Amino acid sequence: MSKKVLILSASPRKGGNSDLLCDQFMLGAKEAGNQVEKIFLRDKKINYCTGCGACQGNGGKCVQKDDMAEVLDKMIAADVIVMATPVYFYTMNAQMKTLIDRTCSRYTEIRNKDFYFIVAAADSSKKAMERTLEGFRAFTSCLNRAKEKGIIYGTGAWNIGDIKGSKAMTQAYEMGKKV
Ligand SMILES: Cc1cc2nc3c(=O)[nH]c(=O)nc-3n(C[C@H](O)[C@H](O)[C@H](O)COP(=O)(O)O)c2cc1C
């Protein structure tokens, strides 16, 4: 059965390591007949959540006028959500955290999703990715029936493109094929 797959690519580097892994995942998922969209967050205007609380009193509508409403609609409509981040100081980058915070107005509607996480880092230790992954899990633990289905470790990649030719690239493609 064809699934709606939404890939959220948070690196500020287009064609960076996590973004290349997203493309591999996308290739696999498309080849398997799924409907796939990648959103490169840097192309979108997503402001910080201000914690104003207005969304709690007005039926889940954020008062900010930026691109987050469109991204949230897509997250809610997706069957599968892929969250990809570069590792910055052993956690997710600010772009990804900003997106997560802005789901505040409608996160209860992000239900029954399969989640995949993609991380890219200079460090070659998988264990060192744990805090970043825990950050993602902190988010998915707040959602209804979120399932963690897979992780791609883009480790040992510092410069843009270092990930090319690595096992992680093949794994991302294979994982995408099996969504
Ligand atoms: C601000 C900043 C902080 C970083 N912190 C870490 C870190 O804590 N651990 C690590 O292994 N790599 C760190 N890196 C390296 C990146 O994770 C690495 O370059 C990665 O490939 C970036 O992914 P991208 O190409 O998808 O943007 C850092 C890079 C930057 C720019």
Side-chain angles (χ1 to χ4, degrees), residues 11-13 15-19 85-91 120-124 129 154 157-161:
S11 173
R13 305 200 292 194
N17 298 310
S18 56
D19 194 44
T85 185
V87 170
Y88 283 0
F89 295 100
Y90 290 98
T91 189
D123 200 317
S124 48
M129 304 300 109
W158 176 223
N159 292 310
I160 200 161

